[in-house]
Amino acid sequence: MGEPKPKPIIFDGESVRTILAEEKDQTRRWCKQAPADAVSARVAGGVIEWTCADGSIFLTNPRFAVGQTLWVKERWSVLPQVDEMPIREMPHDALIRYAADAAVPRAPGHRENPGVSQFTPPRSPLYMPRWASRLTLRVTSVRVERVQDISEADAIAEGVRRMPETQLRMYTMAHERPEVAYVDGRINAPKPWTASARESFEGRWQAINALRAPWDSNPWVEAVTFEVVPHA
């Protein structure tokens, strides 16, 4: 069996920022192929083996495999003269602005980077070509579980951050730290902060998946651990 084929993976700006900050090395993706009556699942021999309520076994292919490389697709912008081109005709040395952190890596042949205002509005990550991707990940483990099985440690590995101002255990998925208010000398955490990392992850999951795989339905997910592959 050969190496798994590289594939794209979409991350929103918040996830990109936490990956760049080395605060995220896990992602959970909904298993829409899970049998409705599945009671357990495991990854073995390159397939997901589902055990159903009647004892039958059902096999599906996982979306991800250990050793597989994933190139990240995120929101991106180009300069107006490039924006007019079909994506397949864009020069591969075109300057790219990444919406997650407004970064504009300098490309060969460009002396200076233009200002942020000179770039066109961000494009959907769906249309990002591979040459424009700045992040490559390598899958180090894949397991299948219910989304509510996530532990505190795993929620933190998903990018949940602990409040830095106090020893009080409060968490947020927001990379940009919200203002923390104090009332009568006691901390009054704003809405993004929660009492546990799992609770913060739950809110994040709902914000993305409420319509197709809501938290309360406890959907099956592929829990993927990854490492960042340094670019040459």
Side-chain angles (χ1 to χ4, degrees):
M1 192 173 180
E3 290 290 320
K5 184 179 178 180
K7 67 187 300 182
I9 185 170
I10 293 176
F11 280 106
D12 65 7
E14 188 58 52
S15 294
V16 169
R17 287 189 289 272
T18 51
I19 292 172
L20 291 172
E22 300 182 352
E23 295 177 350
K24 178 179 176 71
D25 62 8
Q26 286 190 21
T27 186
R28 279 159 175 72
R29 303 296 166 118
W30 173 44
C31 284
K32 61 182 178 181
Q33 76 271 35
D37 60 343
V39 294
S40 66
R42 70 187 187 108
V43 179
V47 298
I48 303 176
E49 182 180 292
W50 305 91
T51 301
C52 300
D54 62 1
S56 61
I57 302 296
F58 185 71
L59 303 179
T60 62
N61 292 319
R63 293 173 61 186
F64 306 98
V66 173
Q68 186 173 38
T69 55
L70 309 173
W71 54 278
V72 173
K73 302 178 81 171
E74 56 180 299
R75 295 176 72 218
W76 57 299
S77 301
V78 292
L79 293 171
Q81 59 268 33
V82 177
D83 188 63
E84 298 173 357
M85 302 177 182
I87 292 177
R88 66 180 179 276
E89 295 179 11
M90 289 181 177
H92 291 194
D93 64 348
L95 287 175
I96 304 293
R97 176 183 179 268
Y98 299 97
D101 57 355
V104 184
R106 184 166 296 173
H110 296 271
R111 290 186 177 182
E112 296 182 359
N113 287 348
V116 169
S117 62
Q118 297 182 45
F119 285 86
T120 56
R123 291 170 172 253
S124 166
L126 286 171
Y127 307 113
M128 172 175 272
R130 187 171 185 179
W131 61 263
S133 176
R134 60 172 167 170
L135 277 171
T136 302
L137 313 176
R138 181 181 294 111
V139 177
T140 57
S141 75
V142 180
R143 64 183 189 274
V144 177
E145 62 187 26
R146 297 281 193 176
V147 71
Q148 292 182 20
D149 290 339
I150 189 170
S151 66
E152 280 288 293
D154 285 337
I156 291 171
E158 279 271 4
V160 175
R161 304 172 71 238
R162 184 172 174 178
M163 181 181 288
E165 286 86 353
T166 173
Q167 293 303 308
L168 184 65
R169 291 184 180 274
M170 299 294 289
Y171 299 86
T172 183
M173 288 295 291
H175 187 66
E176 283 78 20
R177 179 170 52 85
E179 291 299 320
V180 177
Y182 292 86
V183 178
D184 296 329
R186 305 177 72 178
I187 195 161
N188 180 31
K191 188 175 182 180
W193 296 100
T194 61
S196 73
R198 285 186 77 257
E199 185 182 351
S200 184
F201 176 79
E202 174 187 347
R204 178 73 166 155
W205 178 269
Q206 276 295 94
I208 298 172
N209 298 287
L211 295 180
R212 59 180 183 173
W215 176 267
D216 288 345
S217 70
N218 202 15
W220 290 97
V221 297
E222 284 186 45
V224 179
T225 303
F226 57 82
E227 61 186 7
V228 176
V229 178
H231 279 198

